[in-house]
Amino acid sequence: MKERIAILADSACDLPEKIIKELNIHILPLKVVYPEGTYSDRVDIEPEDVYKRMPEEIPKTSMPSPHEITSVIEKIREEGFTHLLSISLSSNLSGTYDAIKMMANQMEDLTVQVFDSKTLSIGTGWMVMEAARSIAKGFNLDKVIEHLQAMRPRVKVFYVLETLEYLRRGGRIGNVAAMLGEFMHFKPIISVNEEGRYYVYCKTRGRKKSIESLIQVVEKAAHKPINLSVMHGGARQEAEKVLERLRSLPNVRDIIFSDISPALGVHTGPGLIGISYYEV
């Protein structure tokens, strides 16, 4: 019997709504938690809703509940899919991967595979897109996963923040913590290593130089064809200038411009500018 494969991603993949609809991607919203209530990422809360309450109010984030995960998977099965590929943000940055895997193991009449992107934001989004396109080409589930495993090391994510305070408060600062004191007057470029954990890629002094260094990261890859994304968190105008600089590079193929999800924005605060690319 021919496989009918559905793609499930969490809302931290940061793909634009148009792409999600075009590729029939199912999205599982992460949660933003304030004292007055819990909101579903990009469903009933948007990034600006979070930023405008900062720094006075800094919410928590949480995974989807087991019931929500089960409900989404059940809906996918009812739609007639025989297989499900769930692609999540790094398991070393969130428990979402483990939660989906636990719920998926309880499913009957549906073959489920959960793939750890070991990155986040559009870094995950690139893999979600590639998986959806591979399925459209007729690849079976094993072949799609094989393709993702080969792609994963090529996906790069880098970003700069206005402040590291939100990462520190959210407990997401990882390897950055050891260098925080030294970098109090610096704006580090943060990336994600092969284990899916944050680390400091390089250090710069001041906002302007940090953004210029971010641009140079992409320019150094100018000898290879790449797909490129520019992301922002409450810094649209600055990010658009970065986009204009980079879109003219001769090696750039596809380009995505996107803001990051509210759940990610909780841990970065306003002022994030990021880039993600991979060799094609």
Side-chain angles (χ1 to χ4, degrees), residues 163-177:
T163 173
L164 294 175
E165 178 65 12
Y166 297 100
L167 275 184
R168 185 190 67 79
R169 290 193 186 193
R172 299 302 202 277
I173 207 163
N175 292 342
V176 177

Side-chain angles (χ1 to χ4, degrees), residues 6-16 19-28 85-89 115-117 119-136 144 147-148 151-152 155 256 278:
I7 296 286
L8 175 65
D10 54 67
S11 55
C13 72
D14 288 342
L15 287 173
I19 292 175
I20 290 170
K21 289 180 178 178
E22 285 177 355
L23 297 178
N24 193 28
I25 297 162
H26 297 75
I27 297 292
L28 189 61
L85 174 58
S86 174
I87 303 173
S88 73
L89 80 161
F115 185 82
D116 186 350
S117 73
T119 186
L120 75 169
S121 189
I122 294 289
T124 303
W126 288 126
M127 296 183 215
V128 173
M129 286 177 61
E130 281 298 311
R133 288 170 175 169
S134 295
I135 291 167
V144 174
H147 180 56
L148 291 179
M151 176 185 180
R152 184 165 54 192
V155 176
I256 292 177
Y278 71 98

Side-chain angles (χ1 to χ4, degrees), residues 1-248:
M1 189 174 95
K2 182 174 173 60
E3 297 179 359
R4 278 201 69 207
I5 311 170
I7 296 286
L8 175 65
D10 54 67
S11 55
C13 72
D14 288 342
L15 287 173
E17 186 66 24
K18 180 182 178 183
I19 292 175
I20 290 170
K21 289 180 178 178
E22 285 177 355
L23 297 178
N24 193 28
I25 297 162
H26 297 75
I27 297 292
L28 189 61
L30 302 179
K31 302 297 179 180
V32 178
V33 184
Y34 282 99
E36 79 276 6
T38 299
Y39 300 88
S40 293
D41 206 25
R42 292 198 191 272
V43 176
D44 46 27
I45 192 168
E46 296 296 331
E48 287 304 318
D49 298 327
V50 173
Y51 301 140
K52 70 184 180 183
R53 296 174 68 165
M54 290 176 164
E56 289 78 13
E57 296 180 88
I58 303 174
K60 305 289 186 183
T61 58
S62 69
M63 301 175 294
S65 69
H67 173 72
E68 288 170 308
I69 295 170
T70 302
S71 295
V72 169
I73 296 176
E74 286 282 2
K75 182 175 180 292
I76 288 169
R77 182 170 60 180
E78 289 169 4
E79 290 175 0
F81 290 97
T82 60
H83 295 68
L84 170 62
L85 174 58
S86 174
I87 303 173
S88 73
L89 80 161
S90 173
S91 61
N92 280 316
L93 298 176
S94 168
T96 307
Y97 168 84
D98 290 327
I100 295 174
K101 195 167 187 176
M102 183 174 66
M103 293 300 103
N105 287 337
Q106 301 173 19
M107 292 293 111
E108 297 178 358
D109 304 323
L110 184 68
T111 301
V112 182
Q113 292 285 345
V114 186
F115 185 82
D116 186 350
S117 73
K118 296 190 183 295
T119 186
L120 75 169
S121 189
I122 294 289
T124 303
W126 288 126
M127 296 183 215
V128 173
M129 286 177 61
E130 281 298 311
R133 288 170 175 169
S134 295
I135 291 167
K137 291 176 183 176
F139 289 16
N140 64 27
L141 184 57
D142 289 343
K143 192 69 176 177
V144 174
I145 292 173
E146 183 182 318
H147 180 56
L148 291 179
Q149 288 170 336
M151 176 185 180
R152 184 165 54 192
R154 304 199 312 270
V155 176
K156 309 299 180 183
V157 174
F158 303 89
Y159 63 90
V160 295
L161 301 174
E162 186 64 40
T163 173
L164 294 175
E165 178 65 12
Y166 297 100
L167 275 184
R168 185 190 67 79
R169 290 193 186 193
R172 299 302 202 277
I173 207 163
N175 292 342
V176 177
M179 303 181 190
L180 184 58
E182 180 185 351
F183 289 168
M184 286 302 288
H185 300 293
F186 287 84
K187 303 288 186 184
I189 292 180
I190 299 171
S191 187
V192 183
N193 64 19
E194 293 180 357
E195 296 178 348
R197 301 181 190 274
Y198 292 140
Y199 77 99
V200 172
Y201 174 76
C202 69
K203 57 182 180 178
T204 59
R205 185 181 292 277
R207 176 78 169 177
K208 187 176 180 180
K209 287 185 177 179
S210 70
I211 295 173
E212 186 62 31
S213 294
L214 196 65
I215 291 170
Q216 290 171 3
V217 168
V218 182
E219 290 176 339
K220 287 177 182 176
H223 59 291
K224 305 169 185 174
I226 60 171
N227 286 339
L228 171 70
S229 175
V230 177
M231 307 91 73
H232 75 92
R236 186 180 186 91
Q237 290 185 344
E238 288 177 299
E240 285 175 342
K241 291 178 181 178
V242 171
L243 178 65
E244 286 306 309
R245 285 273 304 274
L246 294 176
R247 75 187 322 156
S248 61

